[in-house]
Amino acid sequence: MCRLAAYLGPAIALEQIVVAPTHSLLEQSQHASEAKLAVNGDGFGFAWYDQAQEPGLYRDVLPAWSDGNLPSLCRMIRSRLFLAHVRASTAGETSRVNCHPFSHQSWSFMHNGQVPDIQRIRRRLEAMLPDDLYALRRGTTNSELIFLLLLTSGLSEDPASAVNKVLDILIDQSRYGAGKDAVRLTCVFSDGQAIYAFRHASDDREPTLYLQAGEGGAWTLASEPLDGDVARWDCIEPDVLVRLEPGRCSEVKLSTWSSVASPGSRQEAVA
Amino acid sequence: MCRLAAYLGPAIALEQIVVAPTHSLLEQSQHASEAKLAVNGDGFGFAWYDQAQEPGLYRDVLPAWSDGNLPSLCRMIRSRLFLAHVRASTAGETSRVNCHPFSHQSWSFMHNGQVPDIQRIRRRLEAMLPDDLYALRRGTTNSELIFLLLLTSGLSEDPASAVNKVLDILIDQSRYGAGKDAVRLTCVFSDGQAIYAFRHASDDREPTLYLQAGEGGAWTLASEPLDGDVARWDCIEPDVLVRLEPGRCSEVKLSTWSSVASPGSRQEAVA
Amino acid sequence: MCRLAAYLGPAIALEQIVVAPTHSLLEQSQHASEAKLAVNGDGFGFAWYDQAQEPGLYRDVLPAWSDGNLPSLCRMIRSRLFLAHVRASTAGETSRVNCHPFSHQSWSFMHNGQVPDIQRIRRRLEAMLPDDLYALRRGTTNSELIFLLLLTSGLSEDPASAVNKVLDILIDQSRYGAGKDAVRLTCVFSDGQAIYAFRHASDDREPTLYLQAGEGGAWTLASEPLDGDVARWDCIEPDVLVRLEPGRCSEVKLSTWSSVASPGSRQEAVA
Amino acid sequence: MCRLAAYLGPAIALEQIVVAPTHSLLEQSQHASEAKLAVNGDGFGFAWYDQAQEPGLYRDVLPAWSDGNLPSLCRMIRSRLFLAHVRASTAGETSRVNCHPFSHQSWSFMHNGQVPDIQRIRRRLEAMLPDDLYALRRGTTNSELIFLLLLTSGLSEDPASAVNKVLDILIDQSRYGAGKDAVRLTCVFSDGQAIYAFRHASDDREPTLYLQAGEGGAWTLASEPLDGDVARWDCIEPDVLVRLEPGRCSEVKLSTWSSVASPGSRQEAVA
C-alpha cells in the first residue's frame, strides 16, 4: 500500500501539498493513519506539468523523509498540476524504476493498491501490450503494468473506456471470485490537462481517496486529508471515474465489470 | 532514537541476529516496540570482526528493509563478534558518514540516545579532541563525537575510566540540571576481543538494552529481545559498564558522575 | 562495455583481485585500457561462494571507486570462487537490478559486450523463457536476458550445449549478416564448482578476456591483465567454452553457429 | 578537480547549459579536456534562484550521467541565475554533504581546485569560524570550509575584501612557499543578484574558467567552453574578482596577497 496526493489549479509550490500541511504527504510517509502500513518508506516520486506537454519526473529510492533534495525541490518547483506518491512495497527490492509516478509522453500515472497473484499473471498481461509499449517496461511493478495496459486500451482517446477495459482484464485474470485476495486499486493519472481518479475493489475495501475544492477552481486529491480533518473533504465514490479540470469535476460511472458483482453488495468503503 | 544488536561467541551468520529472529533487528527497523519511534529507517550498518584486528564495516542510507544487499551479506558473512545498528535520525540529512557503527583501528562503536543541545555544545566537545582524532571526524552526529571523545579519553587503556570521563564531559556540557532535555545514552562498542556496553540517563529513562547468554559462551545484546520474550533476557543495569567475553560477563560500576545525581533518585528504567 | 574479473582457487580476500593489483578491477573502472570506454562507472557488483550452494551477491549503482563499503567488504570477504564486474552502460538509467552479476540458485553470471537491436528483439527473446524464469526477470539488460536464456537452454545439464543454443538464438534474432552492428559477447559464469567463460563476436572483435594460472591450482580471469603485463596472461580463444576447476582447465569448441561464419574469416581478435 | 558552469540572464532551462551543448557540463563529467582528470563522476549538484531569496539546491552522489532525475529536472527547471557542478574527489568517500554547490541563506558557492595539506590545516581554519557558521559545517571538504570562511570574512558586505582575506588565510596556512603543492582555486558564487568568480593559484596554474556573453545581457561561465570553441570565450584573468550582472561585467583586482608573490612571476595560465 502507498499514499498519494495530486493537485490541479493556480500554480503553487509543491511543498504546499507535499510538505507544509499538518498531515502532508511527507507526514503520511511516516504516519499514515488509514493504511494497513503506517510507514511508506520505499521510495517516492512526483510528476509535474508546466507549459510543456511532457511532465517532469523526480523519483528516488530513499524514504521521502530522508531525501535532502526533496524539501528544496518542493519549495522551488511551482506547478499548476502535479502528482506525488510515497511507496510502501509489499515485496521485492526498492528500485527507482519501481517508484511512482510513471510517465509516458504527456501522461503520468500513480497507483495505490494490490493485484493478487501478480507474479502469476504478469506474463499474460505483458503479452497484451503492443511492441512499443512493451519496450517501455522498465521495472516489475503491477502499477507500471496497469499504466501500460491503460495506454494500450486507448487512454488518450477515451479514459473511461480504457479504465473499464483494464478493470475487466485485471478482474478476469486474477479471478477474484476464486482467489482469497481481492483486486484493490486507487489510481490517479493525468494528461497534463485534467486529473483522473478512480477507486475499485473486488471486496468493497477500496483504498481511500479524498477530494477537496480550493480557491481559483483548484482541486486537491489525497489518500488521507492533508489537514487531518475528514469533515472538510469528500470521499471519491468507488467505481466512478472522476475527471478534474479547473473549477469543474465530472464523473463517469464505470460499468463493464459491474455485472460480475453481486447486486446490492457494493457499499461505501470505510475510509 | 535507534535500535541496535551485538553478538559475541562461536562464529555465526549475521542473519541469525539481524534477519532471522521473530523480532530481529530488521523487524525492529520497522516495528520497534520499546522506542519513541517505531520506525528506524534512516540508514543502517554493521561492523564485524574476523582474524584481522580492524573490523569490516558496511553502512548505507537506505532503510535496512529496502537494501537488497543486506540479506545476502547477512547470510554469507559469519563472524565471532559483530555490532549492528538501524538508525532513526531526529534531525538532518541522512548520509553514510552519519550511519553507525563508527570504527577506528580495532574499535567499533554504536549508540542509541540523545545529547541535548548538541549543536550548541558540539564545538566545545570537538575542541577537546587531539589533532589526529579531530581529523577523523566525518559527519555531524553526536554519536561519532562520543566515540572520538572515548578514544581521546583512553578507551584502549581503561574503558571504564574513559566512559566515566566522557559522561562527566557530556553531563557538564549539557548542564542537564538546568535544561529541559536529558542526556540519554546506550552505547555498545568493541575492540574485537570483548564487547562493552552501558546505559546512562540523566532522567532515569535510559534506552533499553537486553542481554542473553547463548551456547558456547555466546552473548547477544539487543535493544529489544530478538525473540520478543522479555522473560528470557536480562536488562543491562544503568550506570554499569558491562564487559562481555566468551563465557564471561564482568561489570564495573560507573561512578564519577554519581555525585551529581540526587541520592536515591536512581531507579531501574522501565525497559 | 564493461570490465570483469573472476577467481577460483584457495580462498583469498576479494581485494586481491578487485582492489590490490596495479591494474585491479577497481583501477579498470576508472582507467580501462582495452575497452572502447575508459570509464566503467555505472554500477558494480560481485558474487562469491563459500560452503553454501547459493552465492552471495553485492551490487550497487555507485561507481566502484566511490562506494565506501567496497574496500571494507573486499578486505573482509574471503572466497574460493568469485566473480566481479564494473559496468559501463551504453544507454538507460543506472539501477541495481541492471548491475552484474546476476544469480539464480547456484548460478552466477556476468557479461561484457553488446547485442544489437536488443530493444527490438527483447520481446521475442523473453517469449522463449519458461514461466518460472520469466518471473525472475527484474531489469531490462540484455545481460540478464542472456543469463535467463542460458538457464532455459539447459545450463545446468550441459553448459556448452546451452551456450551454443543461446548463441544461435542471438545470432539468428539479431541477424548480424544484415545489420551494421555486431553481436559481441564475453561471458563468465559459475555454478559454484567451476568457472565457465567464452568470447564470441560476429565481427571477430570479441571483448578481451585473459587467463592466468596461480598457486595451488588457482585461476584468475580478467578483462585486462591485473598486473598490466600482457606477457604473463593467456588470451581466451574465441568460440571456445573454457571450464576452470582447481588445477584444471578444459575446453569445448563452440560449434553450432560456425557454419554461418565465412570460412577462414576468424582470427584472434586484437585484445 | 571538478568542472563547473554558471548562468545569469533571461530565464532558461538548466538543460541549455547542463545537458544540451556539445561540450555541456554533463559531457564534461565524462570527457573533460582541460582537467587533470577526464572523469568527474563523484557526485554533482546545482543551485538555482527564482523570486525567493534562498536558492534551490539539488545534489546527489551518483555521477551526473547516471542520475535518471537530472535530465528531467534540467528540462523543467527554468532559472535566471544558476550554478552547476560535477565533482571529482581526490580522496575520501563520496557523500551528498560533500557535493557542491553549498548554500547558506541567499548565497551559493562552488569550487574547483586544491588546498594542499587541508587535513593538517583544517582545524585551524575551522577555529576561525564564528559559532553560527561552525554549526553549519556538514561535511569535510575544503570547499565547504572556504565558503564558510568567505561568509565569516564579510562576503555579504564586501565580496572582494572577503576573497582577499580568505586567500591570505589559505596562503598563509598552507605556507605555499615551503610546501611542494600549490594552492589552486577557481571559485564561483552568487547572492542571487550577481555571480562572482575568481581564479587564483600559487604556482600560476589556476584551474580554467571561461566567460561568454549571451543575448539579453546574459553571461555564461564554464570550466571548459560549452560549444568546444575556445575562440568564442574569454578566459577569466587570474587574481581578479569578476562580478556579473545582467548586461554588465565589472572587475576588482585582488590584491592583499600580491606582495607575497614574486614580482613579475605571474603569467596567464595555459588554460
Side-chain angles (χ1 to χ4, degrees):
Chain A
M1 303 300 273
C2 311
R3 298 287 86 178
L4 51 80
Y7 171 85
L8 173 155
I12 60 171
L14 270 57
E15 68 178 1
Q16 292 191 40
I17 301 293
V18 178
V19 179
T22 317
H23 197 60
S24 69
L25 191 64
L26 187 57
E27 175 69 14
Q28 291 179 40
S29 74
Q30 287 195 284
H31 306 290
S33 53
E34 303 189 36
K36 273 196 295 190
L37 301 169
V39 177
N40 295 270
D42 301 329
F44 71 95
F46 45 83
W48 73 104
Y49 293 86
D50 58 14
Q51 302 91 321
Q53 196 181 26
E54 196 183 328
L57 198 61
Y58 178 66
R59 307 188 293 182
D60 206 355
V61 295
L62 286 171
W65 68 79
S66 73
D67 178 42
N69 291 316
L70 186 134
S72 191
L73 291 171
C74 287
R75 177 173 58 79
M76 295 292 286
I77 298 177
R78 298 175 64 82
S79 173
R80 58 175 178 82
L81 196 169
F82 57 89
L83 279 59
H85 188 275
V86 292
R87 185 168 178 244
S89 73
T90 43
E93 192 167 347
T94 302
S95 175
R96 271 194 198 174
V97 293
N98 289 338
C99 289
H100 306 223
F102 303 94
S103 78
H104 178 56
Q105 294 173 354
S106 69
W107 285 96
S108 56
F109 173 89
M110 59 186 178
H111 164 236
N112 168 24
Q114 62 181 33
V115 178
D117 285 327
I118 182 65
Q119 283 309 319
R120 190 174 51 77
I121 63 174
R122 180 159 80 94
R123 182 172 208 161
R124 273 176 279 160
L125 297 178
E126 289 175 349
M128 297 175 186
L129 302 175
D131 281 1
D132 58 336
L133 294 175
Y134 188 91
L136 295 177
R137 185 86 157 127
R138 282 290 163 274
T140 51
T141 56
N142 54 25
S143 308
E144 184 192 35
L145 184 48
I146 292 170
F147 178 41
L148 295 175
L149 286 171
L150 284 169
L151 291 169
T152 301
S153 304
L155 183 61
S156 299
E157 291 73 40
D158 185 340
S161 163
V163 169
N164 273 327
K165 285 180 193 165
V166 172
L167 285 176
D168 275 344
I169 291 169
L170 292 176
I171 291 164
D172 183 44
Q173 290 291 333
S174 61
R175 294 184 196 113
Y176 73 98
K180 278 169 298 194
D181 289 324
V183 174
R184 291 188 201 133
L185 305 174
T186 289
C187 296
V188 177
F189 44 100
S190 175
D191 60 357
Q193 302 305 316
I195 292 177
Y196 299 84
F198 71 90
R199 302 163 61 211
H200 168 79
S202 60
D203 64 351
D204 295 355
R205 298 180 60 181
E206 300 84 3
T208 56
L209 187 63
Y210 293 89
L211 176 67
Q212 190 180 56
E215 290 185 17
W219 297 106
T220 303
L221 285 165
S223 293
E224 304 181 11
L226 298 176
D227 52 11
D229 183 356
V230 175
R232 302 176 60 182
W233 296 70
D234 293 315
C235 268
I236 295 289
E237 256 190 277
D239 301 321
V240 165
L241 180 67
V242 173
R243 175 187 162 97
L244 302 169
E245 293 164 292
R248 183 157 179 246
C249 172
S250 52
E251 297 187 357
V252 179
K253 186 93 182 94
L254 297 172
S255 55
T256 53
W257 47 267
S258 64
S259 57
V260 298
S262 314
S265 72
R266 184 151 303 278
Q267 299 162 25
E268 176 76 6
V270 177
Chain B
M1 305 298 274
C2 311
R3 299 287 87 177
L4 51 81
Y7 172 86
L8 173 154
I12 61 171
L14 271 57
E15 68 177 2
Q16 292 191 40
I17 301 293
V18 179
V19 179
T22 318
H23 197 58
S24 69
L25 192 64
L26 186 59
E27 175 68 15
Q28 292 180 38
S29 74
Q30 287 193 284
H31 305 291
S33 54
E34 303 190 37
K36 275 196 294 191
L37 302 169
V39 177
N40 295 271
D42 301 328
F44 71 94
F46 44 83
W48 72 104
Y49 294 86
D50 58 15
Q51 302 93 320
Q53 196 181 26
E54 196 183 328
L57 198 61
Y58 178 66
R59 307 187 294 182
D60 205 356
V61 295
L62 286 171
W65 67 79
S66 74
D67 177 42
N69 291 317
L70 186 133
S72 190
L73 290 171
C74 287
R75 177 172 57 79
M76 296 292 285
I77 298 177
R78 298 174 65 82
S79 173
R80 58 174 178 83
L81 196 169
F82 57 90
L83 279 59
H85 188 275
V86 292
R87 184 167 177 243
S89 73
T90 45
E93 193 167 348
T94 302
S95 177
R96 270 195 198 174
V97 292
N98 289 337
C99 289
H100 306 224
F102 303 95
S103 78
H104 177 57
Q105 294 172 353
S106 68
W107 285 96
S108 56
F109 173 89
M110 59 185 179
H111 165 235
N112 168 24
Q114 61 181 34
V115 178
D117 286 327
I118 182 66
Q119 283 309 320
R120 189 173 53 76
I121 64 173
R122 179 160 80 97
R123 182 172 209 163
R124 273 176 280 162
L125 298 178
E126 289 174 349
M128 297 175 186
L129 302 176
D131 281 2
D132 58 335
L133 293 176
Y134 187 91
L136 294 178
R137 184 88 156 124
R138 283 289 165 275
T140 51
T141 56
N142 55 23
S143 308
E144 185 192 34
L145 185 49
I146 292 169
F147 178 41
L148 295 175
L149 286 170
L150 284 170
L151 291 169
T152 300
S153 305
L155 184 60
S156 299
E157 290 72 41
D158 185 341
S161 166
V163 169
N164 273 329
K165 285 180 194 166
V166 172
L167 284 176
D168 275 343
I169 291 169
L170 292 176
I171 290 163
D172 184 45
Q173 290 291 332
S174 62
R175 296 185 194 112
Y176 72 99
K180 277 168 299 192
D181 288 325
V183 174
R184 289 186 204 135
L185 305 173
T186 289
C187 296
V188 178
F189 44 101
S190 176
D191 60 358
Q193 302 305 317
I195 293 178
Y196 299 85
F198 72 90
R199 303 163 59 209
H200 169 79
S202 60
D203 65 350
D204 296 357
R205 298 181 60 181
E206 300 84 3
T208 55
L209 186 63
Y210 293 89
L211 177 67
Q212 191 180 56
E215 291 185 15
W219 296 106
T220 304
L221 285 165
S223 292
E224 304 181 11
L226 299 176
D227 53 9
D229 183 356
V230 176
R232 302 177 59 183
W233 296 69
D234 293 314
C235 269
I236 296 289
E237 254 191 276
D239 302 320
V240 165
L241 180 67
V242 174
R243 175 188 162 96
L244 302 169
E245 293 164 291
R248 184 157 175 244
C249 172
S250 51
E251 296 188 357
V252 179
K253 186 93 182 93
L254 297 172
S255 55
T256 53
W257 48 266
S258 63
S259 58
V260 299
S262 314
S265 72
R266 183 151 303 278
Q267 300 162 24
E268 177 76 5
V270 177
Chain C
M1 305 297 274
C2 312
R3 299 286 87 176
L4 51 80
Y7 171 86
L8 173 155
I12 60 172
L14 271 56
E15 67 177 1
Q16 292 191 40
I17 300 293
V18 178
V19 179
T22 318
H23 196 59
S24 69
L25 192 64
L26 187 57
E27 174 68 15
Q28 292 179 38
S29 75
Q30 287 195 283
H31 306 290
S33 54
E34 305 189 35
K36 275 197 294 191
L37 301 169
V39 177
N40 295 272
D42 301 328
F44 71 94
F46 45 83
W48 74 103
Y49 294 86
D50 58 15
Q51 301 93 319
Q53 195 181 26
E54 196 183 328
L57 199 61
Y58 178 66
R59 306 187 294 182
D60 205 356
V61 295
L62 286 170
W65 67 79
S66 73
D67 177 42
N69 291 316
L70 185 134
S72 191
L73 291 171
C74 286
R75 177 172 58 81
M76 295 293 284
I77 298 176
R78 298 175 65 82
S79 173
R80 58 175 178 82
L81 197 168
F82 58 90
L83 279 58
H85 188 275
V86 292
R87 185 169 178 243
S89 73
T90 45
E93 193 167 348
T94 302
S95 176
R96 268 194 200 176
V97 292
N98 289 337
C99 289
H100 306 223
F102 303 94
S103 78
H104 178 56
Q105 294 172 353
S106 68
W107 285 96
S108 56
F109 173 90
M110 59 186 178
H111 165 236
N112 168 25
Q114 61 181 33
V115 178
D117 286 327
I118 182 66
Q119 283 308 320
R120 189 173 52 76
I121 64 174
R122 179 160 81 97
R123 182 170 208 162
R124 272 176 280 159
L125 297 178
E126 290 174 349
M128 298 175 186
L129 302 174
D131 280 2
D132 59 335
L133 294 176
Y134 187 91
L136 294 177
R137 184 86 158 128
R138 281 294 164 270
T140 52
T141 56
N142 53 26
S143 309
E144 185 191 33
L145 185 47
I146 292 170
F147 178 42
L148 295 174
L149 286 171
L150 284 170
L151 291 168
T152 301
S153 304
L155 183 61
S156 299
E157 290 72 40
D158 184 342
S161 164
V163 170
N164 273 328
K165 283 181 194 164
V166 172
L167 285 176
D168 275 344
I169 291 169
L170 292 176
I171 290 164
D172 184 44
Q173 290 291 332
S174 61
R175 295 183 195 113
Y176 72 100
K180 278 169 298 193
D181 289 324
V183 174
R184 290 187 203 133
L185 305 173
T186 290
C187 296
V188 177
F189 44 100
S190 176
D191 59 357
Q193 302 305 317
I195 293 178
Y196 299 84
F198 72 89
R199 302 163 61 211
H200 169 79
S202 60
D203 64 351
D204 295 356
R205 299 181 59 182
E206 300 84 2
T208 55
L209 187 63
Y210 293 89
L211 177 66
Q212 191 179 56
E215 290 185 15
W219 296 106
T220 304
L221 284 166
S223 293
E224 304 181 12
L226 298 176
D227 51 10
D229 184 356
V230 175
R232 302 175 62 182
W233 295 70
D234 293 313
C235 267
I236 295 289
E237 255 190 277
D239 302 320
V240 165
L241 180 67
V242 173
R243 175 188 162 95
L244 302 169
E245 293 164 291
R248 186 161 175 241
C249 172
S250 52
E251 296 188 355
V252 178
K253 186 92 184 94
L254 298 172
S255 55
T256 53
W257 48 267
S258 63
S259 57
V260 298
S262 313
S265 71
R266 183 152 302 277
Q267 301 162 23
E268 176 77 5
V270 177
Chain D
M1 307 297 275
C2 311
R3 299 286 86 178
L4 52 79
Y7 171 86
L8 173 155
I12 61 172
L14 271 56
E15 67 176 3
Q16 292 191 40
I17 301 293
V18 178
V19 179
T22 318
H23 196 60
S24 69
L25 191 65
L26 187 58
E27 175 68 15
Q28 291 179 38
S29 75
Q30 287 194 284
H31 305 291
S33 53
E34 305 190 34
K36 275 197 294 191
L37 301 169
V39 177
N40 295 271
D42 301 328
F44 71 93
F46 45 83
W48 73 104
Y49 295 85
D50 59 13
Q51 302 92 318
Q53 197 182 25
E54 196 183 330
L57 198 60
Y58 178 66
R59 306 187 293 183
D60 205 355
V61 295
L62 286 171
W65 69 79
S66 75
D67 177 42
N69 290 317
L70 185 134
S72 190
L73 291 171
C74 287
R75 178 173 57 80
M76 295 294 284
I77 297 177
R78 298 175 65 83
S79 173
R80 58 174 179 83
L81 197 168
F82 57 90
L83 278 60
H85 188 275
V86 291
R87 183 167 179 245
S89 74
T90 44
E93 193 167 347
T94 301
S95 177
R96 269 195 199 175
V97 292
N98 289 337
C99 289
H100 306 223
F102 303 95
S103 78
H104 178 57
Q105 294 172 354
S106 69
W107 286 95
S108 56
F109 172 89
M110 60 185 177
H111 164 236
N112 168 24
Q114 62 181 34
V115 178
D117 286 327
I118 182 65
Q119 283 309 318
R120 189 174 51 77
I121 64 173
R122 180 159 81 95
R123 183 171 207 161
R124 274 176 279 161
L125 298 177
E126 288 174 350
M128 297 175 186
L129 302 175
D131 280 2
D132 58 335
L133 293 176
Y134 188 91
L136 294 178
R137 185 86 158 126
R138 282 291 164 274
T140 51
T141 57
N142 54 25
S143 309
E144 185 192 35
L145 185 47
I146 293 170
F147 178 42
L148 295 174
L149 286 171
L150 284 170
L151 291 168
T152 300
S153 304
L155 184 61
S156 298
E157 291 72 42
D158 185 341
S161 165
V163 170
N164 274 327
K165 284 180 194 164
V166 172
L167 285 177
D168 274 344
I169 291 169
L170 292 177
I171 290 164
D172 184 44
Q173 291 291 333
S174 62
R175 297 183 193 113
Y176 73 99
K180 279 168 298 193
D181 288 325
V183 174
R184 291 188 201 131
L185 306 173
T186 288
C187 295
V188 177
F189 44 101
S190 176
D191 60 357
Q193 302 306 317
I195 293 177
Y196 299 85
F198 73 90
R199 301 163 63 209
H200 168 79
S202 60
D203 64 350
D204 295 356
R205 298 180 60 180
E206 300 84 2
T208 56
L209 187 63
Y210 293 90
L211 177 66
Q212 190 179 57
E215 290 185 16
W219 296 107
T220 304
L221 284 165
S223 293
E224 304 182 10
L226 299 175
D227 52 10
D229 183 357
V230 175
R232 303 177 60 182
W233 296 69
D234 293 315
C235 268
I236 295 289
E237 255 189 277
D239 301 320
V240 164
L241 180 67
V242 173
R243 177 188 160 96
L244 302 169
E245 294 164 290
R248 184 157 177 246
C249 172
S250 52
E251 296 187 356
V252 179
K253 186 91 183 95
L254 298 172
S255 55
T256 52
W257 47 268
S258 64
S259 58
V260 297
S262 314
S265 73
R266 182 152 306 278
Q267 300 162 24
E268 177 76 7
V270 177

